[in-house]
Amino acid sequence: MKGLMMNQYYSVEKSIWVYAALSLVVPVLLLVFFERGMLDRLAAFIPIAFMVSPALEVLKHEAKSGWSKYVATLPVSRPRVVQSHYLFFILLMVVGIVFAVVTYLIVTQLFDQAPTEYYIVGILSIIGIVFISGIISYPLTYFFGTEKSDMIMLVGLGGAIGIYFLSSIVFSRFVDGNSIYLGLNADQLFALLFLLVTFVLFVISYIVSLMIYKRKEF
């Protein structure tokens, strides 16, 4: 498992460091030099979405290098291969969350910016959106092949954003935006529920991907 994940890291090492730099610099600039409010959510989106991108790029690099076919000949179980991709995805997501929190602390502590709930709610929502991109991308990539990973990544990201906004619209029709539920306002409640549901779906996505990969012939 460690070897598989290290191989994934080295295949996208440059992308990870570039995205890491952007994840720390761009959100700080947005929060310090632009008007606060909804823009906070964009600042929260950048570190998490940027850091997860290389995890999906791995599939493309594996296709180009032929690794996706070569690994099937190694004495490594197929469940381990799928697990390594999902764990690498989670690992980079955690790094992105850490960067988002660090950015928030830099802005609020060093630049004396007043904290807003938009940023925290944004982090929860973005984690859910990123989960959906993985939910869509991994099973489709294992089914159609890593050669189509570029198109699938775009479908995953577009689908994730679309599902988020659709879910938000449906949620707003049934929940009063001015009410408080269990100490949470409507935005906070939606973000938390969205995150919980997408996490469960992400686990189901892993099971589906594993079933597809086990049956795949190279």
Side-chain angles (χ1 to χ4, degrees):
M1 177 69 72
K2 182 179 178 181
L4 291 172
M5 295 183 67
M6 288 299 295
N7 178 73
Q8 292 172 29
Y9 168 76
Y10 285 120
S11 67
V12 291
E13 181 180 9
K14 292 182 179 179
S15 294
I16 289 176
W17 286 106
V18 170
Y19 282 128
L22 293 174
S23 297
L24 290 172
V25 174
V26 176
V28 171
L29 295 177
L30 288 175
L31 294 174
V32 172
F33 295 105
F34 293 89
E35 185 177 350
R36 307 296 296 280
M38 292 298 292
L39 195 61
D40 285 16
R41 298 194 180 190
L42 175 61
F45 174 84
I46 289 173
I48 301 172
F50 276 18
M51 290 311 302
V52 167
S53 295
L56 298 176
E57 284 182 22
V58 167
L59 299 172
K60 178 177 67 176
H61 285 282
E62 288 185 352
K64 289 183 177 179
S65 66
W67 172 261
S68 56
K69 295 181 179 180
Y70 174 70
V71 73
T73 67
L74 297 176
V76 179
S77 66
R78 294 198 173 190
R80 289 288 186 183
V81 175
V82 178
Q83 288 171 17
S84 68
H85 282 113
Y86 274 78
L87 288 176
F88 192 61
F89 182 93
I90 292 291
L91 177 62
L92 289 183
M93 178 188 286
V94 171
V95 174
I97 295 170
V98 170
F99 283 173
V101 173
V102 169
T103 298
Y104 186 76
L105 292 176
I106 290 173
V107 171
T108 55
Q109 300 301 317
L110 298 183
F111 292 93
D112 198 28
Q113 296 278 355
T116 71
E117 72 172 51
Y118 286 111
Y119 195 80
I120 303 302
V121 171
I123 289 178
L124 296 177
S125 298
I126 297 311
I127 294 173
I129 292 174
V130 169
F131 268 138
I132 293 178
S133 69
I135 290 167
I136 296 173
S137 298
Y138 282 114
L140 288 181
T141 300
Y142 285 121
F143 184 79
F144 290 107
T146 50
E147 295 81 3
K148 297 180 175 62
S149 58
D150 278 340
M151 180 187 69
I152 292 171
M153 283 172 59
L154 293 176
V155 171
L157 180 59
I161 295 174
I163 290 171
Y164 171 78
F165 283 111
L166 179 61
S167 301
S168 178
I169 292 171
V170 172
F171 180 83
S172 65
R173 289 184 176 274
F174 293 96
V175 176
D176 183 3
N178 298 317
S179 299
I180 300 297
Y181 304 87
L182 302 175
L184 303 172
N185 62 34
D187 272 354
Q188 293 168 341
L189 179 62
F190 171 73
L192 184 59
L193 290 176
F194 185 71
L195 173 59
L196 292 175
V197 170
T198 53
F199 175 75
V200 172
L201 293 176
F202 188 75
V203 174
I204 296 174
S205 168
Y206 162 72
I207 297 172
V208 173
S209 294
L210 183 57
M211 293 172 61
I212 295 172
Y213 192 68
K214 280 184 175 180
R215 297 176 181 179
K216 195 173 184 64
E217 295 182 2
F218 295 92

